[in-house]
Amino acid sequence: MRSKAVILAFTIAVLAATGGLLRLTVAPVWDGLRARELRIQKCEACGAGVFYPRVVCPSCGSRKLAWVVTAGRATLHAFTIAHRGVPGPFKTAAPYVVALVDLEGGGRIMANLVGVQPTPEAIRIGMRLTATYEDVTDAVTLLRFAPE
């Protein structure tokens, strides 16, 4: 079974790259990744960091969301080690780490963890991470995280 994170990333990438329904909401994210920037929304009413992109702040309900560039730092919240590779344009050799990370500016995102052995002994909850970027195609750059 393919990793849900990879399937979600592929689906969003296809919709974003082809002008799908999510294009207007997620375009700043994908444009930022191509520019090697991690962009999230910041609520101008309550100050909450918001990721994944939305039209309403999940903390206060305001529609006053602005895009900001983060420093790309995060903390590992949870992870799993996948032991089956992913074929196709997002080819990934197994084993690989799928991480759920808390962004320093607010919000939580799922991405692959790189630069570390894919073993439970090498990874610890709470470890500090920094964003890295991988060009998959000319139009799609994926976000990854690596230990600081």
Side-chain angles (χ1 to χ4, degrees):
M1 181 176 210
R2 292 183 184 170
S3 162
K4 288 181 182 180
V6 172
I7 292 170
L8 177 62
F10 177 78
T11 302
I12 292 173
V14 169
L15 288 171
T18 61
L21 294 176
L22 295 177
R23 179 75 179 142
L24 293 176
T25 307
V26 301
V29 174
W30 292 105
D31 293 344
L33 294 177
R34 279 191 298 279
R36 302 294 198 262
E37 296 176 345
L38 177 53
R39 298 176 186 171
I40 67 169
Q41 292 170 302
K42 194 79 157 177
C43 180
E44 294 176 340
C46 73
V50 178
F51 194 91
Y52 59 89
R54 308 169 201 213
V55 294
V56 175
C57 174
S59 296
C60 73
S62 172
R63 291 183 173 268
K64 295 181 180 180
L65 296 170
W67 287 99
V68 297
V69 176
T70 73
R73 290 188 295 272
T75 303
L76 183 63
H77 178 80
F79 70 95
T80 189
I81 300 169
H83 293 277
R84 289 195 177 198
V86 177
F90 297 95
K91 185 175 181 175
T92 305
Y96 61 95
V97 181
V98 178
L100 189 59
V101 303
D102 293 324
L103 300 174
E104 192 172 81
R108 185 174 283 164
I109 188 170
M110 190 175 293
N112 287 104
L113 181 60
V114 297
V116 64
Q117 289 295 317
T119 64
E121 298 79 20
I123 305 165
R124 62 179 170 69
I125 302 300
M127 68 191 303
R128 299 290 300 148
L129 306 170
T130 189
T132 65
Y133 307 90
E134 179 185 341
D135 295 323
V136 178
T137 69
D138 290 341
V140 177
T141 300
L142 294 181
L143 175 65
R144 311 283 194 215
F145 282 91
E148 283 187 339

